[in-house]
Amino acid sequence: MCAASSDEVKKIKRKCVVLNVIEGKAWRNVVVQDLKTKDKYMFGKVKLAPPEININDELFIGYEELPYDLPDGCSKIILMALDGLMLDWVMITPP
């Protein structure tokens, strides 16, 4: 189990930079790089609606431990605009 109670859920928010944006019919694929760790993340269902997202734009990514059992990993990564608007999220499993 990642955390004993929801009071213990760890949340981290930091800046990232957009590396690539590919637009589809209803969604955008957005690849970002965490400025601190240099890890890259791909978000596959970012709506085409505003805000406009371009290469080299700064956004926020939030790291959140999930408060329940998952095999080999417990992290949720959230992509957010600078104003805090949630754009997409993914679950990751550490290597």
Side-chain angles (χ1 to χ4, degrees):
M1 187 156 193
C2 294
S5 71
S6 61
D7 295 336
E8 297 178 23
V9 173
K10 294 180 184 176
K11 295 182 181 182
I12 299 168
K13 179 178 165 182
R14 57 182 173 234
K15 286 190 176 180
C16 63
V17 64
V18 177
L19 299 178
N20 198 8
V21 179
I22 300 172
E23 293 190 8
K25 292 182 181 181
W27 307 101
R28 291 178 278 193
N29 292 327
V30 178
V31 178
V32 298
Q33 183 174 33
D34 184 326
L35 294 176
K36 184 175 180 180
T37 65
K38 303 301 181 197
D39 291 334
K40 296 176 185 175
Y41 301 101
M42 196 278 287
F43 297 88
K45 287 200 170 185
V46 178
K47 292 182 182 180
L48 286 176
E52 184 176 327
I53 300 174
N54 298 302
I55 294 174
N56 295 323
D57 283 355
E58 283 190 348
L59 298 173
F60 281 119
I61 46 176
Y63 295 88
E64 180 179 328
E65 285 186 1
L66 298 175
Y68 43 85
D69 289 328
L70 289 174
D72 298 325
C74 300
S75 295
K76 177 180 178 180
I77 308 285
I78 302 166
L79 181 65
M80 295 173 279
L82 293 178
D83 64 2
L85 174 68
M86 187 175 106
L87 302 172
D88 195 10
W89 65 275
V90 296
M91 289 178 52
I92 62 163
T93 302

